[in-house]
Amino acid sequence: SHFMPNSQQPWNTLTKAGNPTKSKEINSLIKAVKRKEVRDLGAPSKADRALTLDEHEQALRIMDTYEDERKRYLYAAIAKFQHHMIGRMDDSCHTFRRHLLQSEQYPFVLTIQMRWSKNVCEERDAPVQIILASMNSLHCVHLALGVYLELFIGRGEDAGSPYLFNCAECNNSPATMNRKTREFIEKDVFGHRNFVRQKAGHIGSHSIRKRGTTRARESGIKKDHVDYRSRWKKLARLTTLVYPDAEVAAVLCHGGPCEYAIKEGSNISNEWIISHVTQNINRVYGQGVATVLGKAILWAVFAEDCAITIPEQMKRIKFICHMNT
């Protein structure tokens, strides 16, 4: 009906004029087809199903096995960000880096605006949303973003890009980034020899978004609050409501949400972190974001149980830290 000149007019069966998608006969046929589909009488569904918890864990671990740093850090960061924000892959790749900020109300939290979402038609449809750190380092968005940004900005791969996710190969094109990330996830991750499907049904990059929705609903979160987080309904216009967004963000943190904090007496300060851990992030995103992400990186460098592989060049931080103390 998008191309119909009289799209608002009902279908007239006598004159054969108006909008045919409003025809009673056509709508009855569509309804009958949908009924057949739900009864498993039609063609197999091509829609992506949600990943199971085990499949999601498998996918993240497989991403960390690749030697290619784009796959291990960049694409993995996009996938973790997508899950945490319950967004489409396209939404994530079109996120502007200027919208990633430190929360004024909660200094250990990051905030973001996703303006490319399907149902974002006005500025007020894109609320400022929370990004929380996770107790499970495999799923932690703060850690994934910190490692990716510090590494890629340091190599000059941001190339002055206005987007949060970019590499030299994508040349500031979010469409290219979206395509390459989808291909990697669907072919190299879900098609990996060690990836074991837990049930039937098609899975793709959209399965990550559906996994976020499923986890939130299984945790007892109200549907309206999940819709708020995923920017699915106009409830997103209630931009002063912090609680619904934070509530969903918290359950999407595997192991629970956490705050990376500096130990007392460690002789480490925010200024030290900015100077020695996230100097590249500080140059592009400022001190607030650099401090929040730097604490996550610093923890990962020293933690024996960190679930992701830290780049070799970041391990020098441990030596510098020992020199400082």
Side-chain angles (χ1 to χ4, degrees):
S1 63
H2 175 77
F3 298 98
M4 295 296 299
N6 298 320
S7 61
Q8 300 300 318
Q9 297 295 323
W11 178 252
N12 190 315
T13 55
L14 296 177
T15 62
K16 307 296 183 184
N19 188 346
T21 63
K22 294 187 177 183
S23 164
K24 181 180 178 180
E25 289 78 9
I26 289 178
N27 286 320
S28 296
L29 176 62
I30 293 173
K31 191 179 295 184
V33 170
K34 288 182 177 179
R35 190 178 295 113
K36 294 283 187 182
E37 184 179 40
V38 79
R39 292 174 179 175
D40 236 357
L41 298 175
S45 175
K46 291 181 174 58
D48 290 349
R49 65 165 173 83
L51 293 176
T52 65
L53 175 59
D54 183 69
E55 287 173 338
H56 191 204
E57 293 270 346
Q58 287 184 63
L60 296 181
R61 293 191 186 281
I62 288 172
M63 290 179 198
D64 195 60
T65 63
Y66 283 94
E67 294 297 327
D68 187 335
E69 291 183 336
R70 287 174 306 142
K71 297 178 179 180
R72 176 180 279 178
Y73 300 118
L74 170 56
Y75 298 156
I78 295 174
K80 294 173 186 181
F81 179 83
Q82 178 193 9
H83 172 264
H84 192 65
M85 300 307 301
I86 315 182
R88 299 181 305 162
M89 187 70 70
D90 191 37
D91 303 341
S92 302
C93 294
H94 278 87
T95 300
F96 288 103
R97 71 182 185 188
R98 68 174 180 273
H99 293 144
L100 181 67
L101 301 168
Q102 181 186 34
S103 170
E104 295 179 2
Q105 190 173 4
Y106 307 102
F108 62 93
V109 168
L110 295 177
T111 63
I112 195 74
Q113 279 185 290
M114 298 183 69
R115 295 171 175 253
W116 201 263
S117 295
K118 184 177 180 180
N119 293 294
V120 173
C121 301
E122 302 177 33
E123 186 173 354
R124 58 181 178 173
D125 294 337
V128 174
Q129 295 185 276
I130 289 175
I131 304 176
L132 295 176
S134 172
M135 287 290 291
N136 187 325
S137 55
L138 182 65
H139 295 264
C140 184
V141 186
H142 281 205
L143 181 56
L145 284 175
V147 172
Y148 148 65
L149 289 174
E150 184 63 21
L151 183 63
F152 277 66
I153 293 173
R155 296 194 315 202
E157 290 213 40
D158 64 318
S161 172
Y163 299 103
L164 178 61
F165 299 106
N166 186 54
C167 66
E169 189 179 38
C170 292
N171 195 28
N172 293 339
S173 171
T176 303
M177 177 62 70
N178 177 42
R179 176 176 56 80
K180 288 185 174 294
T181 308
R182 288 169 61 95
E183 288 175 354
F184 166 66
I185 290 174
E186 293 175 2
K187 294 180 181 178
D188 297 341
V189 178
F190 297 154
H192 194 277
R193 64 181 182 278
N194 293 332
F195 185 83
V196 180
R197 295 173 182 255
Q198 300 298 305
K199 60 181 184 180
H202 185 269
I203 55 175
S205 61
H206 200 65
S207 299
I208 299 174
R209 175 193 174 119
K210 289 187 175 181
R211 174 64 211 157
T213 302
T214 301
R215 179 174 176 83
R217 295 291 287 135
E218 288 176 346
S219 301
I221 304 297
K222 295 179 180 178
K223 184 177 183 300
D224 283 346
H225 290 188
V226 178
D227 290 342
Y228 178 97
R229 178 69 177 175
S230 59
R231 302 156 304 281
W232 187 249
K233 288 188 175 179
K234 296 305 180 183
L235 180 65
R237 291 184 174 182
L238 301 175
T239 55
T240 57
L241 295 179
V242 177
Y243 172 72
D245 186 58
E247 180 189 33
V248 183
V251 301
L252 293 174
C253 294
H254 290 245
C258 72
E259 173 187 355
Y260 291 101
I262 300 172
K263 286 185 177 180
E264 292 185 13
S266 64
N267 203 27
I268 298 296
S269 64
N270 289 343
E271 291 73 21
W272 188 94
I273 290 174
I274 293 170
S275 299
H276 299 286
V277 182
T278 48
Q279 58 268 44
N280 295 317
I281 295 176
N282 177 51
R283 178 165 50 84
V284 176
Y285 289 88
Q287 294 184 3
V289 174
T291 301
V292 174
L293 298 182
K295 291 176 182 178
I297 296 174
L298 189 60
W299 172 86
V301 168
F302 281 91
E304 296 181 356
D305 59 344
C306 181
I308 70 168
T309 304
I310 300 300
E312 286 298 321
Q313 54 266 52
M314 288 187 179
K315 293 180 180 178
R316 64 175 177 77
I317 297 171
K318 185 183 291 188
F319 174 75
I320 298 172
C321 190
H322 285 313
M323 292 290 291
N324 184 62
T325 55

